[in-house]
């Protein structure tokens, strides 16, 4: 039984290295996005560092080196200045609080966490569209997670007063002149958030036409 579990851990670490190294769990995340492109993005929940599972499987984690391994993951998370709080819960799991605000330029990519560890991407385009898309997990990866007793659950919301032309939200609620789009993530196979809106020009604050990418 233990041998089978360790084998699955190794497979999980290998496949997830191909996508994102962090698995979100027990989270609540919200994006407030105005029709002009002003945004406020928050995340509170757990992040699991998948590659360390392979180190546990191979016996590379010992009482002597585990503190350093955990410290290195914490250091990696802290590279994003929007990460406000990081608490280790052991075995590669961290409780994280993230908060970022700003205004999207005419052409820009914003990522949670970073472009090389992306859980959620927010992209503005020259044609005025803004697309929000979360990484989806392959069914084979999700099956391995389920066999190991690992899960990925939480809730993501987008509150916006913009003209939304495409979305796959679980639920939509009115909120004054805006709407709240809600995704209930119950497991790794749940539909990942996807929404496209059309930006309006703000006469008081002209957009910078420079294209850019941002962590």
């Amino acid at each position: 039984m233990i041998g089978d579990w360790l084998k699955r851990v190794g497979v999980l670490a290998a496949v997830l290295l191909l996508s994102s190294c962090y698995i979100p769990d027990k989270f609540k995340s919200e994006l407030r996005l105005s029709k002009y492109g002003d945004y406020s993005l928050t995340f509170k929940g757990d992040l699991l560092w998948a590659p360390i599972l392979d180190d546990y499987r191979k016996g590379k984690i010992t009482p002597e080196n585990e503190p350093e391994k955990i410290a290195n993951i914490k250091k990696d998370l802290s590279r994003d200045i929007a990460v406000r709080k990081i608490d280790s819960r052991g075995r590669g799991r961290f409780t994280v609080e993230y908060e970022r605000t700003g205004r999207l330029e005419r052409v820009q990519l914003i990522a949670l966490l970073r472009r090389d560890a992306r859980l959620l991407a927010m992209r503005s385009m020259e044609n005025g569209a803004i697309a929000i898309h979360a990484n989806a997990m392959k069914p084979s990866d999700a099956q391995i997670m389920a066999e190991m007793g690992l899960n990925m659950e939480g809730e993501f919301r987008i509150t916006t007063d913009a003209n939304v032309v495409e979305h796959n939200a679980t639920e939509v609620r009115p909120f004054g002149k805006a709407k709240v789009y809600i995704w209930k993530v119950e497991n790794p196979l749940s539909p990942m958030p996807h929404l496209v809106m059309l930006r309006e020009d703000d006469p008081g604050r002209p957009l910078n036409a420079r294209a850019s990418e941002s962590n």
Side-chain angles (χ1 to χ4, degrees):
M1 293 291 292
I2 295 178
D4 290 342
W5 184 87
L6 290 175
K7 181 178 179 181
R8 289 168 185 160
V9 170
V11 174
L12 175 67
V15 295
L16 288 180
L17 279 171
L18 300 178
S19 52
S20 175
C21 293
Y22 289 103
I23 305 169
D25 192 24
K26 310 295 183 186
F27 67 89
K28 286 189 176 182
S29 183
E30 182 177 14
L31 171 63
R32 292 179 176 265
L33 183 61
S34 81
K35 59 186 177 183
Y36 302 128
D38 301 288
Y39 68 87
S40 174
L41 176 62
T42 60
F43 174 95
K44 292 183 179 181
D46 289 355
L47 293 177
L48 175 65
W49 175 248
I52 200 173
L53 297 177
D54 195 42
D55 288 340
Y56 280 110
R57 179 185 71 89
K58 294 177 179 178
K60 293 182 178 181
I61 306 298
T62 66
E64 292 75 25
N65 67 19
E66 187 174 33
E68 180 181 1
K69 296 282 188 180
I70 298 300
N72 286 338
I73 301 172
K74 188 172 183 178
K75 182 179 179 180
D76 179 68
L77 283 169
S78 65
R79 289 168 55 194
D80 191 324
I81 61 174
V83 175
R84 309 298 187 186
K85 184 178 179 181
I86 312 169
D87 291 325
S88 173
R89 297 184 57 192
R91 299 187 69 86
R93 182 182 288 267
F94 295 82
T95 297
V96 172
E97 293 185 10
Y98 176 102
E99 183 178 342
R100 181 171 185 167
T101 60
R103 167 174 280 211
L104 285 163
E105 296 179 1
R106 187 176 300 278
V107 180
Q108 188 176 18
L109 171 66
I110 299 291
L112 166 70
L113 295 159
R114 305 183 306 274
R115 280 173 287 167
D116 60 347
R118 188 182 306 169
L119 300 176
L120 181 79
M122 180 167 49
R123 184 186 297 272
S124 57
M125 291 166 275
E126 186 69 37
N127 63 4
I130 295 177
I132 297 93
H133 185 74
N135 281 351
M137 186 172 291
K138 295 187 297 184
S140 56
D141 297 1
Q143 180 61 33
I144 295 169
M145 283 186 63
E147 291 174 359
M148 292 175 55
L150 296 175
N151 200 13
M152 183 172 72
E153 61 180 10
E155 181 178 291
F156 179 65
R157 296 185 175 206
I158 297 178
T159 301
T160 183
D161 60 351
N163 177 20
V164 172
V165 296
E166 184 177 314
H167 73 87
N168 65 341
T170 309
E171 181 183 354
V172 181
R173 299 177 184 172
F175 185 71
K177 294 182 179 180
K179 290 183 179 179
V180 183
Y181 298 81
I182 303 170
W183 288 261
K184 299 285 189 180
V185 179
E186 298 178 347
N187 56 63
L189 290 177
S190 296
M192 292 297 105
H194 173 73
L195 181 144
V196 180
M197 55 161 275
L198 300 180
R199 188 210 299 259
E200 295 182 19
D201 290 331
D202 183 353
R205 296 174 60 190
L207 283 171
N208 185 339
R210 179 177 61 86
S212 66
E213 292 195 357
S214 173
N215 291 341

